[in-house]
């Protein structure tokens, strides 16, 4: 088969089996590499869409695809999800009874399986290796590949021998996948798996659908309750530093009517399993947990992750927040940040014996504090930490959405410096503030600090505001807090420049409360219909004994509640509905939607309008264009789409043009709104001998070059030009 034919087949499978219209960035190239019989190494963040990269080649190549994964608990969900798409898949691990295991092996031996998930120790058993020699193997996928390396954070001894596969099966293509690997681990993994020649794919670590928010921690319970009001019915995780906090918070949330449950390593294994299962099956909405929770929990529709306490490093923060929004839908990560936490973590670090390790941990904590106190785009700070540079601010973090007001704080900084100096660098932040504000407290009087020149000179600024100022000054490196002496504030060398260099010190204006404002998406979903669909999903999932999200993702339900398809043809255009699911559940979905539309007259108005059929005039779209399309389909406007990806509006419009030329539907009339009809009319009337730039100039409505080309592409695609 030629490359072109292979590519077409991959697209067809993506569409018919999985119900998706476009590949995500890199998926297509990875799949093609395997289809050409070569090895690949893939580093992609959680939720990036790794599974399809081995599922499609396994379906298209002769024989069975073998997937090795250490996470036995996830295998059933994965196999359920494939079975629901009509794929012949099974798993082979220690959770199977002897008769079940035998049956799986028989199906494998008779070549009946497209995919087989295997636990590593089973795979490397003599008998299974022999079996594999006799059966045709399509490919090997090594999931969570970082587990082979001792440098990674999750080393599994049973993974080490996986390198043998390359020797025994030199001609079977192999794919190693991971979401967490630094350079060092990556080298080690490729070496141990003997994948030196593999093509490497390193995806961006950005998770554009996660909105990063940081709020000053004041009254955490109230703040969390307030935050949860914005996410009624949604699933989320709240991380706390200690078991005690976990338990207290879970009880408090339950008292406020929230379906919350606690999870930490001190609970009996059985209880933990039940909590986890209740969460996966949407019986529990909010998990309050220590960091023990998460590894091996693959729930795509977690809408928010809250950090009640400060994580110890950006790596852990990134991994924990990364559990939100794996389905690509809008999600939020909220960090409650209090200076008390910083001191608490610092004290924990002080107990670390090994000085080298202590140094590393302090460094990591400082990185985290830097993130929390940043006044620039959070995503920029986060990705910068992982060595990735953002071209533009992200537009989807608290700083971007609500940029802090800045002001010249030079005089205040001078005052603070004076006070700290007068106190000989021996007192902590709280005391410094008390002196500045002229507090009438006994300790200050006893020490005679009410006689200092700076005493009371900052009385017109409240304590919270002073805290914010001093903290920012620490963050900017003018002061340090000496952890060996109860966090005493001391000026640094840089402080000598305060007020001297003539350069103003610009700080962010203090602002209490959570800075969050949910941006509305372009096409609002019908909440009532969405909720009915969620109920139906629960019912169907119970009938099939599956987790609800395994059957239909939230993306699929959201699209249905936006588009409201009322016949099989429009239903089949919904993302995530392949042929098998349409056959099995299509009628019941349609019945529910039709009933809903009949019951609510205003729903009818917005119901699926007849979408014009577009004619393909251009080449198929590339990954970037496909990604733009997937965001468009989620209802984003051009601006939101651009902000989401950190690209310009013009680039998004260029993607639209390519998409339309490839016969993807983009609602161009809606983009131009009232102006559309006029523009189309004027184009119809244009002088057939005029050049395009002349035509553009003659339009009564000004358009950018991209907008003009968008109109032309549309006319071409609907067949009028
Ligand atoms: P990972 O293994 O990288 O964490 P998954 O393979 O579980 O990610 O994919 C995350 C989600 O994205 C799943 O719900 C999956 O169905 C969906 N997905 C993957 N590829 C596509 C695609 N090309 N179009 C739409 N959705 C996709
Ligand atoms: Zn930002």
């Amino acid at each position: 088969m030629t490359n072109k034919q292979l590519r077409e087949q991959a697209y067809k499978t993506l569409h018919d089996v999985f119900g998706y219209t476009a590949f995500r960035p890199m998926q297509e190239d990875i799949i093609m590499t395997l289809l050409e019989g070569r090895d690949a190494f893939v580093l992609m963040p959680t939720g990036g869409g790794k599974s399809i990269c081995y599922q499609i080649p396994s379906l298209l190549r002769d024989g069975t695809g073998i997937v090795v994964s250490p996470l036995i608990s996830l295998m059933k969900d994965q196999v359920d999800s494939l079975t629901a798409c009509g794929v012949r898949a099974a798993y082979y691990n220690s959770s199977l009874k002897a008769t079940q295991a035998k049956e799986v092996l028989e199906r494998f031996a008779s070549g009946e399986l497209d995919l087989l998930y295997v636990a590593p120790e089973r795979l490397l058993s003599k008998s299974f290796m022999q079996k594999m020699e006799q059966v045709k193997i399509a490919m090997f996928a090594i999931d969570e590949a970082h587990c082979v390396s001792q440098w990674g954070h999750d080393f599994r001894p049973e993974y080490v021998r996986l390198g043998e596969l390359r020797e025994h099966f030199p001609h079977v293509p192999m794919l190693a996948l991971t979401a967490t690997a630094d350079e060092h681990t990556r080298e080690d993994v490729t070496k141990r798996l003997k994948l030196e020649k593999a093509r490497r794919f390193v995806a961006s670590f950005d998770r554009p659908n996660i909105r990063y928010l940081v709020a000053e921690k004041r009254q955490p319970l109230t703040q969390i309750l307030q935050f949860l009001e914005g996410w009624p019915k949604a699933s989320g995780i709240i991380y706390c530093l200690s078991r005690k906090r976990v338990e207290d918070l879970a009880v408090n949330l339950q008292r406020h009517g929230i379906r919350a449950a606690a999870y930490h390593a001190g609970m009996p294994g059985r209880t933990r399993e039940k909590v986890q299962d209740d969460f996966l099956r949407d019986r529990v909405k909010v998990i309050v947990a220590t960091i023990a929770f998460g590894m091996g929990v693959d729930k795509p529709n977690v809408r928010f992750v809250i950090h009640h306490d400060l994580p110890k490093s950006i790596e852990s923060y990134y991994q924990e927040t990364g559990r939100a929004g794996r389905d690509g839908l809008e999600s939020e990560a909220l960090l409650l940040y209090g200076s008390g936490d910083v001191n608490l973590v610092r004290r924990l670090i002080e107990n670390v014996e090994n000085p080298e390790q202590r140094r590393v941990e302090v460094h990591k904590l400082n990185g985290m504090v830097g993130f929390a106190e940043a006044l620039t785009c959070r995503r920029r700070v986060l990705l910068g930490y992982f060595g990735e540079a953002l071209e533009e601010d992200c537009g989807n973090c608290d700083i971007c959405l609500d940029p802090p007001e800045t002001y010249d704080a030079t005089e205040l900084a001078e005052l603070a410096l004076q006070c700290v100096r007068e106190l000989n660098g021996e007192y902590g932040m709280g005391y410094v503030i008390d002196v500045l504000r002229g507090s009438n407290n006994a300790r200050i009087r006893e020490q005679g600090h009410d006689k200092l020149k700076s005493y009371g000179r900052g009385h017109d600024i409240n304590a919270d505001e002073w805290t914010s100022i001093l903290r920012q000054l620490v963050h900017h490196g003018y002061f340090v807090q000496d952890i060996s002496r109860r966090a005493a504030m001391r000026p640094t060398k840089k402080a000598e420049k305060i007020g001297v260099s003539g350069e103003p010190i610009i700080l962010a204006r203090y602002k209490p409360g959570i800075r969050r404002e949910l941006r509305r998406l372009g096409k609002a979903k019908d909440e009532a219909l969405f909720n009915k669909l969620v109920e139906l999903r629960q019912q169907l999932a119970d009938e099939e004994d599956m987790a609800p999200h395994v059957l239909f993702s939230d993306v699929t339900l959201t699209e249905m509640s936006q588009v409201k398809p009322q016949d099989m043809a429009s239903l089949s255009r919904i993302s995530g509905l392949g042929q098998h699911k349409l056959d099995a559940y299509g009628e019941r979905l349609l019945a529910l939607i039709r009933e809903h539309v009949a019951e609510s007259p205003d729903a009818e108005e917005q119901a699926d309008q007849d979408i014009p059929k577009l004619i393909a005039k251009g080449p198929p779209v590339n990954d970037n264009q496909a990604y733009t399309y997937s965001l468009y389909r989620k209802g984003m406007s051009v601006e939101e789409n651009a902000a989401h990806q950190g690209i310009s509006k013009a680039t998004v419009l260029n993607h639209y043009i390519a998409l339309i030329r490839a016969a993807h539907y983009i609602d161009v009339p809606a983009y131009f709104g009232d102006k559309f009809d006029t523009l189309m009319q004027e184009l119809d009337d244009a002088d057939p001998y005029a050049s395009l730039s002349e035509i553009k100039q003659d339009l009564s409505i000004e358009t950018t070059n991209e907008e003009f080309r968008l109109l032309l592409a549309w006319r071409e695609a609907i067949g009028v030009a």
Side-chain angles (χ1 to χ4, degrees):
M1 234 187 282
T2 66
N3 251 353
K4 180 156 175 291
Q5 284 166 324
L6 284 174
R7 208 173 280 271
E8 279 167 6
Q9 280 216 333
Y11 265 101
K12 191 166 159 34
T13 312
L14 180 74
H15 181 267
D16 294 354
V17 177
F18 297 98
Y20 297 137
T21 44
F23 282 114
R24 294 237 183 105
M26 297 202 176
Q27 285 178 330
E28 186 178 356
D29 287 342
I30 297 166
I31 290 170
M32 287 305 292
T33 303
L34 292 157
L35 289 179
E36 286 160 18
R38 296 175 56 191
D39 296 340
F41 177 85
V42 171
L43 181 63
M44 208 187 254
T46 308
K50 288 190 282 300
S51 324
I52 275 186
C53 299
Y54 54 80
Q55 288 164 347
I56 290 183
S58 297
L59 283 168
L60 291 179
R61 284 177 64 90
D62 264 354
T64 307
I66 303 282
V67 186
V68 189
S69 165
L71 305 171
I72 292 181
S73 57
L74 298 185
M75 288 185 186
K76 180 178 181 301
D77 273 0
Q78 263 144 1
V79 169
D80 279 350
S81 149
L82 285 167
T83 313
C85 293
V87 175
R88 301 170 305 171
Y91 59 91
Y92 181 59
N93 63 34
S94 54
S95 76
L96 294 180
K97 297 198 190 76
T99 49
Q100 292 171 314
K102 193 157 159 269
E103 193 195 334
V104 169
L105 287 182
E106 274 163 16
R107 288 177 71 194
F108 175 47
S110 62
E112 212 186 275
L113 290 174
D114 297 316
L115 274 142
L116 180 59
Y117 287 76
V118 191
E121 64 282 357
R122 289 266 162 138
L123 178 89
L124 295 163
S125 71
K126 227 190 186 129
S127 62
F128 194 80
M129 288 293 267
Q130 274 168 0
K131 202 136 242 150
M132 282 198 296
E133 304 274 4
Q134 292 148 15
V135 179
K136 180 112 185 118
I137 306 293
M139 65 168 291
F140 289 109
I142 316 285
D143 207 2
E144 312 289 341
H146 57 274
C147 294
V148 239
S149 170
Q150 265 154 329
W151 302 108
H153 63 278
D154 192 28
F155 176 59
R156 313 239 170 172
E158 69 275 18
Y159 249 58
V160 174
R161 281 184 49 216
L162 289 175
E164 294 170 25
L165 285 176
R166 236 315 114 269
E167 290 155 24
H168 286 280
F169 301 93
H171 301 299
V172 178
M174 186 186 278
L175 170 67
L177 313 113
T178 175
T180 50
D182 56 43
E183 188 64 41
H184 202 57
T185 315
R186 218 182 299 168
E187 291 312 316
D188 200 35
V189 170
T190 40
K191 208 156 52 227
R192 280 168 188 267
L193 291 177
K194 309 202 167 53
L195 287 177
E196 285 94 345
K197 292 210 189 86
R199 254 187 90 181
R200 289 178 181 219
F201 297 88
V202 178
S204 163
F205 263 55
D206 190 13
R207 300 283 311 279
N209 61 316
I210 300 181
R211 175 175 311 151
Y212 297 101
L213 306 167
V214 181
E216 287 265 3
K217 180 146 104 184
R218 311 245 145 211
Q219 295 148 316
L221 179 62
T222 314
Q223 285 175 301
I224 288 173
L225 286 169
Q226 201 187 332
F227 179 86
L228 294 181
E229 272 172 26
W231 287 110
K233 300 194 178 148
S235 299
I237 309 172
I238 306 178
Y239 284 107
C240 302
L241 202 61
S242 70
R243 294 176 186 181
K244 170 135 181 30
R245 271 196 197 162
V246 163
E247 283 172 355
D248 291 350
L249 183 59
V251 169
N252 276 323
L253 291 178
Q254 287 159 0
R255 281 200 194 122
H256 283 86
I258 289 164
R259 273 152 67 195
Y263 184 106
H264 59 69
M267 291 168 27
R270 241 207 269 106
T271 320
R272 267 185 297 163
E273 256 168 50
K274 173 157 184 340
V275 169
Q276 189 168 319
D277 197 52
D278 284 346
F279 184 57
L280 290 176
R281 301 204 170 215
D282 292 338
R283 289 188 285 251
V284 158
K285 288 294 178 189
V286 178
I287 294 276
V288 187
T290 58
I291 53 169
F293 181 79
M295 181 65 180
V297 179
D298 187 2
K299 185 173 169 63
N301 56 346
V302 173
R303 292 273 72 84
F304 59 86
V305 169
I306 301 177
H307 281 89
H308 181 283
D309 306 302
L310 190 71
K312 278 164 122 183
S313 66
I314 289 193
E315 282 96 338
S316 13
Y317 172 75
Y318 179 80
Q319 189 176 38
E320 285 144 24
T321 53
R323 293 181 180 128
R326 297 182 57 161
D327 52 13
L329 292 180
E330 282 221 322
S331 309
E332 289 187 318
L334 170 67
L335 167 65
L336 295 179
Y337 175 66
S339 61
D341 287 353
V342 182
N343 294 331
L344 181 67
V345 180
R346 279 197 211 281
R347 275 203 297 281
L348 292 177
I349 294 176
E350 275 167 43
N351 293 335
V352 172
E353 292 273 325
N354 179 335
E356 176 65 10
Q357 197 193 341
R358 200 161 55 221
R359 206 179 53 80
V360 172
E361 290 200 17
V362 167
H363 175 75
K364 295 204 160 180
L365 177 63
N366 287 341
M368 192 60 223
V369 171
F371 171 82
E373 295 189 351
L375 292 177
T376 46
C377 170
R378 305 272 178 212
R379 199 175 307 271
R380 200 182 269 292
V381 179
L382 203 55
L383 292 179
Y385 184 86
F386 293 112
E388 215 181 296
L390 261 191
E391 251 172 51
E392 288 170 44
D393 283 352
C394 77
N396 194 26
C397 70
D398 56 346
I399 301 278
C400 285
L401 290 169
D402 185 11
E405 190 194 323
T406 55
Y407 67 108
D408 183 343
T410 314
E411 282 181 24
L412 295 174
E414 280 178 278
L415 185 54
L417 177 63
Q418 185 191 6
C419 182
V420 168
R421 279 190 178 146
E422 285 181 324
L423 291 169
N424 293 323
E426 281 169 13
Y427 294 83
M429 199 178 273
Y431 192 86
V432 172
I433 292 171
D434 280 347
V435 172
L436 282 167
R437 300 198 64 246
S439 294
N440 181 23
N441 82 35
R443 190 160 161 234
I444 290 183
R445 272 181 277 119
E446 274 161 28
Q447 320 251 13
H449 288 152
D450 52 348
K451 305 283 176 330
L452 297 176
K453 284 202 194 109
S454 57
Y455 179 79
R457 278 190 56 204
H459 67 92
D460 49 348
I461 290 176
N462 73 31
D464 288 340
E465 217 169 323
W466 266 121
T467 309
S468 156
I469 294 166
L470 293 183
R471 237 190 249 159
Q472 291 185 56
L473 290 171
V474 170
H475 177 47
H476 287 296
Y478 294 106
F479 296 100
V480 286
Q481 291 180 280
D482 187 344
I483 41 173
S484 63
R485 288 169 48 218
R486 276 181 271 117
M489 295 264 300
R490 281 205 327 235
T492 61
K493 196 135 182 58
K494 191 174 173 188
E496 286 165 18
K497 286 198 213 143
I498 294 178
V500 184
S501 63
E503 215 178 283
I505 293 177
I506 304 295
L507 296 183
R509 178 86 62 199
Y510 166 72
K511 217 172 172 188
I514 301 181
R515 294 210 244 121
R516 76 188 278 268
E517 186 196 324
L518 277 172
R519 287 180 313 154
R520 281 230 9 257
L521 292 185
K523 196 169 184 183
K525 70 174 184 239
D526 180 332
E527 285 293 337
L529 177 56
F530 182 79
N531 292 337
K532 286 182 196 174
L533 288 165
V534 168
E535 257 170 54
L536 177 61
R537 169 173 74 176
Q538 184 86 47
Q539 201 181 322
L540 294 173
D542 285 345
E543 284 168 23
E544 310 271 353
D545 188 27
M546 280 184 193
H549 62 80
V550 169
L551 196 54
F552 303 118
S553 72
D554 281 16
V555 180
T556 303
L557 299 193
T558 302
E559 257 192 59
M560 271 193 265
S561 60
Q562 287 171 337
V563 179
K564 298 180 191 159
Q566 295 185 58
D567 55 48
M568 213 39 113
S570 23
L571 189 67
S572 73
R573 284 200 287 269
I574 299 289
S575 167
L577 294 181
Q579 199 50 53
H580 196 263
K581 283 187 192 170
L582 287 172
D583 291 345
Y585 312 107
E587 284 305 335
R588 285 174 78 174
L589 290 169
L590 284 175
L592 185 142
I593 296 167
R594 287 194 199 112
E595 191 189 278
H596 176 80
V597 172
E599 274 172 8
S600 37
D602 19 324
E604 177 116 55
E605 261 168 47
Q606 321 158 5
D608 197 19
Q609 307 129 355
D610 231 5
I611 291 176
K613 207 130 191 76
L614 303 188
I615 307 157
K617 300 263 178 168
V621 297
N622 67 29
D623 281 357
N624 297 337
Q625 293 155 352
Y627 189 57
T628 297
Y629 192 51
S630 69
L631 297 181
Y632 165 81
R633 301 245 311 183
K634 282 180 202 148
M636 282 190 200
S637 68
V638 173
E639 286 79 11
E640 287 166 339
N641 206 320
H644 218 81
Q645 303 188 61
I647 58 180
S648 69
K649 218 182 121 179
T651 308
V652 173
L653 290 176
N654 277 326
H655 289 177
Y656 278 12
I657 293 164
L659 285 158
I660 291 172
R661 294 180 61 85
H664 288 282
Y665 182 78
I666 299 270
D667 198 344
V668 174
Y671 175 78
F672 287 98
D674 301 343
K675 300 179 206 145
F676 179 76
D677 289 335
T678 315
L679 286 165
M680 286 298 265
Q681 193 60 50
E682 290 180 0
L683 287 174
D684 280 345
D685 296 344
D687 174 358
Y689 299 105
S691 72
L692 284 177
S693 64
E694 283 166 343
I695 296 179
K696 179 174 178 300
Q697 288 221 313
D698 285 346
L699 293 176
S700 65
I701 296 161
E702 208 181 313
T703 56
T704 66
N705 283 335
E706 288 77 21
E707 285 172 339
F708 183 64
R709 286 179 37 237
L710 183 67
L711 281 169
L712 297 181
W714 171 261
R715 285 165 61 84
E716 222 178 275
I718 59 172
V720 298

